[in-house]
Amino acid sequence: MTDLPPIPAPEPARPALAPARLWALVPCAGTGTRALRASVPGAQGSGAVLPKQYQPVAGLPLVLHTLTAFAGVARLAGTLVVVAPGDRFFDSHAHPAYFAVPCGGATRAESVLGGLRALQERGALDGDWALVHDAARCLVTTAQIDALIDACQHDSVGGLLAHKLADTLKTAIDGPGGVRVASTVDRSDKWLAQTPQMFRIGALRHALEQVGATATDEASAMEAMGLHPRLVPGGAQNFKVTYPEDFSLAEAVLAQRMHAATLARFGGERGAAASDPVKTFFSSRT
């Protein structure tokens, strides 16, 4: 009788792979030269100006409205604010909901790269997700950020919030008679890119290192790698404050939200003016 081979011992159970974490990355190192320029309180010299992300909107610095939306996203492992070297703004606006690192560069791509490296120095992995968001898009909502995560967390590439173009789109020619219409462009497949833009940290870092400063946003860097990011509907109110008139529009939107949609979250009586949601958030968590 032939002896049967011994039954191999069962392999020890392998630990389950840890789920990818989600990190927010907010580039906040620009100067906003197209926006309203205001003097920095207490600054020395007449040439000192306040970058647009720190200018007041509805009574508080613009960037704090942005950070309030991210503070409401429970799934985030952390929110990194990328500031320019020597920027001391967050010394007086520290909060557990985010942390600031002076790793900003001369371009958006350099600032995002600096932020990705800073996240990895703090333990973020290549397979983790980074949600990169413009500091000046202060009207983004927690619900929009959550919708982007829901749509992209199992995607092979990642994606971005975007708004389908509603207006008729023209190309132009410039000549002796001024700027004139050259043609009308089919808008059926045109979208306005917004943020957050959500990609794996390792893949995004590689793409930005390859493409360099020519990348106008994170999605364009990923596109240069031959990838096709997912488009997730955002909204017209998620615009970037860029020009002086944008400040009053942002304030109007924030005022409307204080009276209606944010009452349940931030308190106040219906029919009466609710307190500023950003002030409520930061005062209740200090």
Side-chain angles (χ1 to χ4, degrees), residues 44-60:
Q44 297 294 321
S46 58
V49 295
L50 189 65
K52 68 178 178 181
Q53 62 267 25
Y54 301 145
Q55 291 186 29
V57 176
L60 281 174

Side-chain angles (χ1 to χ4, degrees), residues 21-135:
R21 290 177 293 177
L22 298 153
W23 303 86
L25 194 164
V26 181
C28 194
T31 57
T33 55
R34 290 174 293 180
L36 179 68
R37 299 171 71 86
S39 298
V40 178
Q44 297 294 321
S46 58
V49 295
L50 189 65
K52 68 178 178 181
Q53 62 267 25
Y54 301 145
Q55 291 186 29
V57 176
L60 281 174
L62 181 152
V63 69
L64 296 189
H65 295 283
T66 305
L67 293 172
T68 298
F70 281 89
V73 181
R75 290 177 281 182
L76 290 178
T79 296
L80 166 64
V81 185
V82 177
V83 298
D87 186 339
R88 314 301 299 181
F89 174 84
F90 286 99
D91 288 356
S92 56
H93 293 85
H95 195 276
Y98 52 78
F99 57 101
V101 178
C103 57
T107 66
R108 176 197 176 89
E110 291 174 358
S111 292
V112 174
L113 264 176
L116 294 174
R117 291 167 182 152
L119 285 175
Q120 291 188 303
E121 289 171 0
R122 286 160 174 75
L125 304 176
D126 279 353
D128 288 348
W129 294 100
L131 283 78
V132 184
H133 183 72
D134 300 322

Side-chain angles (χ1 to χ4, degrees), residues 1-255:
M1 181 176 181
T2 305
D3 292 336
L4 295 175
I7 299 174
E11 293 185 3
R14 297 180 181 179
L17 293 176
R21 290 177 293 177
L22 298 153
W23 303 86
L25 194 164
V26 181
C28 194
T31 57
T33 55
R34 290 174 293 180
L36 179 68
R37 299 171 71 86
S39 298
V40 178
Q44 297 294 321
S46 58
V49 295
L50 189 65
K52 68 178 178 181
Q53 62 267 25
Y54 301 145
Q55 291 186 29
V57 176
L60 281 174
L62 181 152
V63 69
L64 296 189
H65 295 283
T66 305
L67 293 172
T68 298
F70 281 89
V73 181
R75 290 177 281 182
L76 290 178
T79 296
L80 166 64
V81 185
V82 177
V83 298
D87 186 339
R88 314 301 299 181
F89 174 84
F90 286 99
D91 288 356
S92 56
H93 293 85
H95 195 276
Y98 52 78
F99 57 101
V101 178
C103 57
T107 66
R108 176 197 176 89
E110 291 174 358
S111 292
V112 174
L113 264 176
L116 294 174
R117 291 167 182 152
L119 285 175
Q120 291 188 303
E121 289 171 0
R122 286 160 174 75
L125 304 176
D126 279 353
D128 288 348
W129 294 100
L131 283 78
V132 184
H133 183 72
D134 300 322
R137 291 187 190 270
C138 62
L139 300 177
V140 71
T141 66
T142 297
Q144 288 172 331
I145 301 168
D146 275 323
L148 178 68
I149 294 172
D150 290 340
C152 295
Q153 62 183 337
H154 301 300
D155 194 271
S156 60
V157 178
L160 64 151
L161 288 184
H163 187 55
K164 196 166 178 57
L165 189 65
D167 297 324
T168 300
L169 185 63
K170 307 288 186 181
T171 61
I173 52 174
D174 192 2
V179 180
R180 295 181 179 273
V181 171
S183 65
T184 298
V185 180
D186 179 14
R187 71 184 182 202
S188 62
D189 61 348
K190 304 298 186 297
W191 293 69
L192 299 173
Q194 299 181 336
T195 64
Q197 301 193 0
M198 176 176 164
F199 300 104
R200 301 279 185 179
I201 288 178
L204 179 56
R205 178 175 175 176
H206 173 73
L208 289 172
E209 288 173 343
Q210 295 297 310
V211 177
T214 58
T216 56
D217 65 357
E218 295 66 51
S220 65
M222 301 297 283
E223 293 160 36
M225 299 294 101
L227 300 171
H228 299 282
R230 178 187 293 271
L231 291 168
V232 180
Q237 291 184 354
N238 186 24
F239 64 88
K240 181 164 63 174
V241 174
T242 304
Y243 300 104
E245 58 270 24
D246 293 340
F247 285 94
S248 57
L249 181 56
E251 288 202 355
V253 173
L254 287 168

